[in-house]
Structure formats: C-alpha cells, structure tokens
Amino acid sequence: MRNRQQDNLVWVFGYGSLIYRPDFAYLERCPASVLGWERRFWQGSHDHRGVPDSPGRVVTLVPVKGGRCDGVAYLVDHDVFEYLDHREKNGYSRLNLELQFGDGQVVEGVVYVADENNFAYLGPAELEEIAGHIKGSSGPSGSNADYLLHLAEALREMNVQDRHVFALEALLRAD
Ligand code: SIN
C-alpha cells in the first residue's frame, strides 16, 4: 500500500540530483512519473554546481501540456524535509503533485520545483549555449558537467528517454 502519509511518511519525487545522489534516509525507492511536466536545465545553481558570480545550470520542471517526467519516488519521514529544504534552497519550492507508479497507482507527493519567479532562474536558451554553460561551470558540489553526466547515466540505467538531457549530454561529450 503506497499511501502511507498517516504514518508521518511522505513520498518525495526526484528528477535531478535526487535521482543519483539520495544522501538522505528513505524507506522505499521506486520509479515514478509526473504527468504534465518536463525536465529542463533552466535553473541557476549558485550553491552546488556554480557560485553566485557564475551560477551553473541544473534541472527544474516546467509545465508542458501532454508532457511527462520520469524519475524516482522516495518514501521518507517528514523530518527529512529539514535536510532537503536546505539542499534545494537555491530557488526551489515544494509542490504537491500526483506521482504515478509503474503499476498505475497514483499518490500525492512532494516535488521541488524552481519556477520562473525565483531569484536564480535562468530560463530557456539554445541547447549549444546550455551545454557550453554547463561545461564551464563548477561549484562546491563539483563540476556542472558531472551533474549532467550522472543524471544522463542514471536515466539510461532506468531506461528513461529524455531528449533534452541526452541532447545536452551528446553536445558536452562531442566538445
Ligand atoms: C531533484 O532532483 O528532484 C531536484 C533538482 C536537483 O536537486 O537536481
């Protein structure tokens, strides 16, 4: 039974670094999707993959009619938000969205989304420009290129197709 919020447990959906670096306690981890949203490297990172004077580019979710983002759902104790809110503090807000599991079950879960009104938002750009930006950025958590490459690798391991991420990966590797 996936709906366990009564036990102070909450589902959190990860679609970026939360997929490949889950450095927090969780009780379950399963593939899941959110419908009507897509992953984009449109958010600035001043604290992980860039610095305030030279922010990197990391993913956020953008609403897309008919879109879908595949990622990972974690079942966590509510206390974990103290850590996650700090980790995702650079412009992300918690949204409650429906998470869909592979067996068709749907539960409400928390998703960290950085919308266009946050101070660190960078927005869309040509893929070549985004790839060049990622290539030239790094911050306290490591290089921006590693963020993209780890994410692409994790998505591939899950058999997830993401044209935006894989196109950026190809541009980065070709350079
Ligand atoms: C996420 O992974 O769900 C949020 C974005 C990030 O931390 O990379």
Side-chain angles (χ1 to χ4, degrees):
M1 180 61 186
R2 289 213 171 92
N3 216 342
R4 308 207 356 217
Q5 304 211 336
Q6 68 278 10
D7 305 326
N8 206 32
L9 299 178
V10 185
W11 286 100
V12 178
F13 179 76
Y15 57 90
S17 68
L18 293 180
I19 295 182
Y20 66 82
R21 198 169 65 87
D23 58 351
F24 49 87
Y26 58 85
L27 286 90
E28 285 184 46
R29 179 184 195 272
C30 356
S33 310
V34 289
L35 304 185
W37 296 82
E38 291 187 359
R39 189 173 9 238
R40 293 283 186 276
F41 272 82
W42 290 2
Q43 173 64 5
S45 175
H46 300 82
D47 56 347
H48 286 298
R49 303 295 173 157
V51 291
D53 284 350
S54 179
R57 268 192 182 256
V58 292
V59 286
T60 183
L61 288 185
V62 297
V64 175
K65 208 165 177 241
R68 167 193 176 118
C69 176
D70 298 309
V72 171
Y74 299 95
L75 187 65
V76 302
D77 189 278
H78 202 273
D79 291 349
V80 167
F81 286 115
E82 209 177 309
Y83 168 70
L84 288 178
D85 284 355
H86 179 75
R87 173 168 162 172
E88 304 298 323
K89 66 185 181 311
N90 204 63
Y92 292 87
S93 306
R94 287 191 221 161
L95 285 193
N96 289 322
L97 297 178
E98 284 191 344
L99 313 185
Q100 188 158 325
F101 293 96
D103 60 6
Q105 273 198 67
V106 176
V107 298
E108 191 170 277
V110 171
V111 188
Y112 285 90
V113 175
D115 73 14
E116 69 274 19
N117 298 314
N118 84 79
F119 68 97
Y121 187 75
L122 294 174
E126 295 296 329
L127 285 177
E128 288 75 9
E129 187 184 331
I130 296 180
H133 186 156
I134 290 171
K135 192 170 182 210
S137 301
S138 66
S141 297
S143 76
N144 207 171
D146 275 354
Y147 176 102
L148 167 58
L149 297 175
H150 284 140
L151 177 58
E153 196 55 41
L155 294 177
R156 225 177 341 264
E157 276 170 16
M158 294 164 57
N159 283 323
V160 167
Q161 296 302 322
D162 188 310
R163 282 169 51 190
H164 177 78
V165 172
F166 292 149
L168 289 171
E169 181 199 24
L171 285 167
L172 192 84
R173 289 194 190 280
D175 226 13

